[in-house]
Amino acid sequence: MWSGGVRGDGGLDRAARARAVRLCRACPVRVDCLVDAMPVARMRDDTTIVGGLTTPARARLQRLVADGLHAPASLAGIPPRMVRMWLLAHPDAPDQACRQTQAQWSGAKRRWRAARARPAPTVGVPASSVMVQGELDLGW
């Protein structure tokens, strides 16, 4: 587990986080570390890297494991040894969870940018329905 990567001004040190991810991914006890990190309890802990995964990626991995074991998403009642066995049988699952999380954030950013690029809708009555006094012919 690696915690930190916060600069003095409160921003994230992306280079330090990238080094931590590389270090964790090469670690021989990565699977045990990931098993200990489940279930993911908090989603706001953005500075902790466990097993080479951020908190959102670990939550995604937890859902993948739960689906694979046909268990509840919280993994309640599932012994850690079963989670470990599943992770050992699916060594690509942590990287898959990371890719899915990155794709989700990329899609969200794309939608946000597209929404900002669209012109704001006009509020009010369309110009074609505006009537000038005296134009209305009631046939009287």
Side-chain angles (χ1 to χ4, degrees):
M1 182 175 102
W2 183 86
S3 184
V6 180
R7 298 186 314 251
D9 63 356
L12 291 177
D13 184 352
R14 295 187 191 283
R17 290 173 57 81
R19 286 191 304 274
V21 167
R22 284 194 305 274
L23 180 69
C24 284
R25 286 187 177 173
C27 182
V29 294
R30 180 183 188 194
V31 170
D32 295 322
C33 197
L34 286 170
V35 169
D36 289 341
M38 287 187 210
V40 177
R42 297 179 299 170
M43 287 298 291
R44 289 287 178 198
D45 187 8
D46 293 335
T47 62
T48 303
I49 304 290
V50 178
L53 301 178
T54 61
T55 304
R58 287 194 313 276
R60 174 80 56 163
L61 177 62
Q62 180 176 319
R63 286 191 296 274
L64 288 173
V65 171
D67 289 346
L69 293 174
H70 305 291
S74 65
L75 292 177
I78 304 299
R81 67 177 166 73
M82 287 187 67
V83 173
R84 185 178 192 284
M85 289 173 44
W86 190 91
L87 286 172
L88 289 172
H90 301 88
D92 61 328
D95 296 328
Q96 179 183 359
C98 188
R99 285 190 305 272
Q100 288 178 357
T101 303
Q102 288 172 343
Q104 175 187 356
W105 285 110
S106 295
K109 281 187 208 176
R110 208 171 19 259
R111 288 187 299 276
W112 180 77
R113 288 180 182 142
R116 285 188 63 209
R118 277 186 242 126
T122 57
V123 178
V125 181
S128 62
S129 66
V130 175
M131 295 189 321
V132 179
Q133 184 177 2
E135 286 187 6
L136 184 60
D137 182 17
L138 296 176
W140 292 351

